[in-house]
Structures are given as C-alpha cells and as structure tokens.
Amino acid sequence: MPVGSLPAHQVGCPCCGLSLFIPVLTPGESALCPRCHQHLVRVETHPLDTPTAYAIASLIIMTIVYTQLYMSIDLFGMHIELTIPYMVASLAQQDYSLLAEIMFFLTFGSPVLFLLLCLYVYTGLRYQQVLPGMLYATRTLVRLRHWIMVDVFYIATLVSYIKISSMAQIHFGLAFWLMMVLAILLIRTSQGVPEHWIFYQIQRLTGHDPTLQIHNADTINCHYCLFEQPDTQNVCDVCGSYLSRRKPLSLNISMAFLLAAIIFYIPANLLPMMITRSPGTNLASTILDGIEYMWNDGDVLIAVVIFSASMAIPVLKIIFMLVLLYSAAYRPLMSARKLTMLYRITESIGRWSMIDIFVVIILMSAFSTPLAHVTPGAATIYFCAVVILTMISALSFDPRLIWDEVKQHPSHHKSSTKRHSS
Ligand SMILES: [Zn+2]
Ligand SMILES: [Zn+2]
C-alpha cells in the first residue's frame, strides 16, 4: 500500500448515521456516503506535503496582509491609510472593543491558530513523532474551520469600495490584493486536512490500528473521527471526544440558541446599524434604512448584497433551522435527502451575514474625518449575536436525527439502508 493510504475499514457517516465499509483509499482517492453524499474522507495526492505547503504559504501571505497597506482613501483633501490592524485598533479606541475582538478573532485569530495547529500536527506526522496534545490540536483545528472569515471580509471590502468610491478616491494596497490569495489558500488548506485520516495516522504512531474490526462487542461510531468504538465506552479511543449515539440534547441546545438568535434579531433590525455624521446632519440608519438609501442612490448591487446578507440569509437560516428541528423532533416535513440538503445550506451560508458588519467597520475606518464620520450603531452587536448564535445552533444540530425520524415515518424515504461500499 502506498505511504499515506487508509486501509479498508468500517465508518459511520456523521451526516446520516449509516454504518458503511470503505475500501482501501490510496493518495488522491476519496470516499462519499452513498446515502446522503456526505464527504467522508479524502486522502490528498501528497498527504503530508500539500497541507504543509499550503499552511506555510498562508502564514507568509498572512504576515504581509496584516502588516502592509490595505487601502488608502483621499477624502476632502485628507489622506487616510488603512491597514487591518489599524481598523481593529480604531474600533477598540472608539469603545467598540467587542466588535474589535470579533473582527480580530474572525479575520486573524482563528486563521492563525488554525494554520499553526495544522503545522504542529503535520510536523508530528512527518517526523513520525507523537507530540503532546496532538489529538486535542486536531479537534481544535476542525472546530476553528467554521470561524475563518477572511473571504467574507474580502467581499465586504468590495461592497464598501462601491460605496466609498462614490465620495472619495480609493487606492488598494498590496495587502488587499494578497488577501484574495490568502482567502483561497485558507479554503484549500482547510479542505486538505481530513481529520479522519489524521486521527488514523496519529493512532498508527502510537501503535494502535483503529481500522481493525471490533469483535464480540456492540459498536458505536464516533461522530468526530467516524471510527467504530465499543459502545460501552464514554470517550473515543481514537480522537478523545465524548462518545454518544447522537449528540446529547442536540435538539434542545440547537433550539435554545435559535430562540436567542430570534430574540436578538428584533433589536438588530429596530436599532440603528450605522450612524453617519457630517456638519449639519446626524443620520442613524437601521439595516432596512441602509438598504433603502443605497437602492434610491442607484447603488442597486450593494443594496442587493446587503439585503441578501443582512435580511435574507438570517431569516432563511432561522426558517430552515425551524424546519430541521421540527422534522427531527416530530415529523419529517420533506424527504431526508432534502432536509440534509437544507442542513448543508444552513451550515454554509450563515457566515456570509457578517458582510454587513464588516462593511460598517470598513466605512467607519474610511470616514473618520470631522466632515464625514461613520460610527457603528447599537444594532451591530445584536446582529453579530444573531450570526454567531445561528451558527452555533446549526453546529449543535445532529443531522443524523433527521434520518432516525425518517426511519420512523418511512413514507418520506424509500431507498434501502443496507450497507454500501464506495
Ligand atoms: Zn451519510
Ligand atoms: Zn472519535
């Protein structure tokens, strides 16, 4: 078997709960769940080199992006030079420290930590050494993947550009152009670190082979590493996570976060999102006001983007989560395949709502002169809370419950659930 291959073994699909046998995977091959099409594992063509190279390249580019000029703005005879740290610092100085922390974590903290943990784990694998906390590092980097929002910030910059360019001259610096490369590299790096494969490699270093079949015991599949474990255990031997057939209290926790998000969504829409001051005027605008102004000003494209990010996505996400929670708790409202699709959409679109928050932050940094001054309104904090709470609600939801419920109400699901191999 080529180096880095994954032997044939039994896994549990984390999305639909199907227990299935996957054949030997050699570098360049991947396995999908035949029932819900969930991506189970992919072995990179160069399993050790590719993620390491992408992580190092990302860190180098990140250093440039966060130290060099992002954009410069000429407004009313004043020249303003913006770097990313300057934006975070000016938020903190103007008493928006919570917004500053959120921006710092989503655009810098989580990607840096993610990349450093990748390098740590892959260094251990490359030199065949079990480093302290390798399992914990792998579990943490998997969780951090959801909270990397460099791409969202980049799109927010493009939206802000259209807005600012109608009033001022903008020049983009090196950091702006490299941020696009960084966003792509980060996506590629996070796709290139398959946790199932990493956990197998770490266990191999410790002399255990988690792909060996378990005999004489009932088994349970770990939700995080997908390997089979005896169902008498509380903690997974392979990845160190807590073991359970389904995430404990998944529906209650998911519903609690969703309810909190729905409550916060009210002030997020009623309070001002952005306050614009210029001599003689003091304008506080809510999300809807902002969209209306832009539409009337002829900025149709930004109006559509902000409407999608700030109104459509949060509302759709809340509706989708309610459908999923109802279907998993009581009666499936549609087929399991469609519900799974809904779950995947909900999980992936949520982060894009942060566009509006990032736009307000960029506008605030750009318009900080006495002649034109923009500050974030109270709604920004509530809106951030809505985005974060709906994301946690989706992440707490156990999609396998959809398929459990469909089994009890078979009218919605006709395909067989026998074991497949791919
Ligand atoms: Zn599946
Ligand atoms: Zn596990």
Side-chain angles (χ1 to χ4, degrees):
M1 234 175 12
V3 178
S5 299
L6 197 59
H9 62 290
Q10 197 78 25
V11 296
C13 173
C15 194
C16 71
L18 180 70
S19 181
L20 63 145
F21 191 75
I22 53 174
V24 177
L25 294 180
T26 53
E29 290 184 323
S30 57
L32 286 181
C33 171
R35 184 161 75 169
C36 71
H37 307 300
Q38 168 74 21
H39 200 95
L40 296 171
V41 59
R42 178 186 145 75
V43 183
E44 282 285 332
T45 313
H46 304 286
L48 290 174
D49 296 337
T50 308
T52 312
Y54 278 119
I56 292 174
S58 303
L59 275 175
I60 293 171
I61 291 184
M62 222 167 165
T63 317
I64 305 172
V65 167
Y66 290 95
T67 51
Q68 298 300 307
L69 178 71
Y70 192 62
M71 57 162 93
S72 66
I73 296 160
D74 289 296
L75 176 72
F76 305 128
M78 285 182 73
H79 181 73
I80 304 161
E81 296 206 331
L82 296 182
T83 60
I84 309 277
Y86 172 85
M87 292 187 206
V88 176
S90 67
L91 271 176
Q93 278 163 11
Q94 297 190 40
D95 266 355
Y96 298 103
S97 47
L98 187 61
L99 271 187
E101 282 155 20
I102 291 172
M103 175 174 165
F104 178 80
F105 177 71
L106 297 178
T107 62
F108 182 78
S110 67
V112 164
L113 194 56
F114 168 79
L115 293 170
L116 292 176
L117 289 173
C118 276
L119 286 178
Y120 181 71
V121 170
Y122 275 84
T123 304
L125 295 182
R126 174 175 295 272
Y127 295 103
Q128 307 268 305
Q129 292 288 325
V130 183
L131 303 176
M134 252 173 127
L135 291 178
Y136 183 70
T138 309
R139 293 204 305 273
T140 309
L141 74 87
V142 170
R143 291 200 179 103
L144 280 172
R145 277 203 288 232
H146 301 282
W147 303 98
I148 298 175
M149 297 205 190
V150 174
D151 45 356
V152 181
F153 188 82
Y154 192 76
I155 300 296
T157 310
L158 295 178
V159 173
S160 315
Y161 167 74
I162 306 174
K163 188 75 213 147
I164 304 170
S165 62
S166 62
M167 303 170 70
Q169 285 255 321
I170 303 182
H171 298 283
F172 288 120
L174 181 63
F176 170 82
W177 301 108
L178 284 181
M179 191 181 252
M180 182 168 59
V181 181
L182 176 64
I184 295 168
L185 279 176
L186 281 169
I187 293 170
R188 188 61 190 84
T189 312
S190 81
Q191 285 171 347
V193 286
E195 56 270 29
H196 181 68
W197 179 87
I198 297 177
F199 285 126
Y200 166 72
Q201 296 295 337
I202 296 174
Q203 288 302 328
R204 236 177 33 109
L205 293 180
T206 62
H208 297 112
D209 186 352
T211 61
L212 294 177
Q213 194 118 35
I214 296 168
H215 296 287
N216 308 326
D218 284 334
T219 56
I220 181 171
N221 283 106
C222 173
H223 179 71
Y224 293 94
C225 69
L226 319 185
F227 284 105
E228 263 191 332
Q229 292 284 290
D231 77 346
T232 44
Q233 282 180 204
N234 289 328
V235 176
C236 174
D237 281 340
V238 182
C239 70
S241 314
Y242 281 103
L243 276 177
S244 57
R245 289 215 171 267
R246 299 293 177 257
K247 286 185 193 173
L249 294 174
S250 157
L251 297 182
N252 303 38
I253 296 171
S254 182
M255 190 65 207
F257 279 109
L258 188 66
L259 275 180
I262 294 171
I263 293 167
F264 282 134
Y265 192 62
I266 300 166
N269 277 283
L270 295 180
L271 293 173
M273 186 75 161
M274 193 166 83
I275 298 157
T276 317
R277 288 193 192 89
S278 54
T281 56
N282 194 348
L283 188 69
S285 51
T286 61
I287 295 177
L288 206 57
D289 293 339
I291 296 168
E292 205 182 315
Y293 293 140
M294 287 174 208
W295 184 272
N296 293 337
D297 275 1
D299 296 328
V300 176
L301 183 66
I302 325 179
V304 170
V305 172
I306 299 290
F307 175 79
S308 312
S310 305
M311 307 287 294
I313 292 180
V315 171
L316 280 180
K317 222 182 141 172
I318 289 170
I319 294 172
F320 288 177
M321 278 313 297
L322 287 172
V323 170
L324 288 167
L325 286 165
Y326 182 85
S327 299
Y330 302 108
R331 197 175 60 83
L333 294 174
M334 52 184 92
S335 73
R337 235 178 262 278
K338 281 187 187 148
L339 286 169
T340 304
M341 179 93 79
L342 212 59
Y343 173 71
R344 292 200 184 118
I345 295 171
T346 311
E347 222 191 357
S348 57
I349 58 171
R351 50 208 287 285
W352 290 97
S353 295
M354 284 302 285
I355 284 186
D356 203 8
I357 299 287
F358 288 147
V359 167
V360 174
I361 292 174
I362 296 168
L363 290 183
M364 184 196 114
S365 311
F367 297 114
S368 52
T369 67
L371 289 174
H373 196 82
V374 169
T375 46
T380 47
I381 295 298
Y382 291 105
F383 194 78
C384 277
V386 172
V387 178
I388 293 169
L389 290 169
T390 46
M391 281 180 73
I392 299 176
S393 170
L395 292 172
S396 317
F397 181 78
D398 190 337
R400 293 172 295 182
L401 294 169
I402 300 170
W403 295 81
D404 295 347
E405 196 57 29
V406 167
K407 265 188 230 156
Q408 289 174 22
H409 298 81
S411 61
H412 273 295
H413 181 64
K414 294 191 181 68
S415 77
S416 80
T417 52
K418 68 179 176 12
R419 283 187 177 179
H420 297 255
S421 62
S422 64

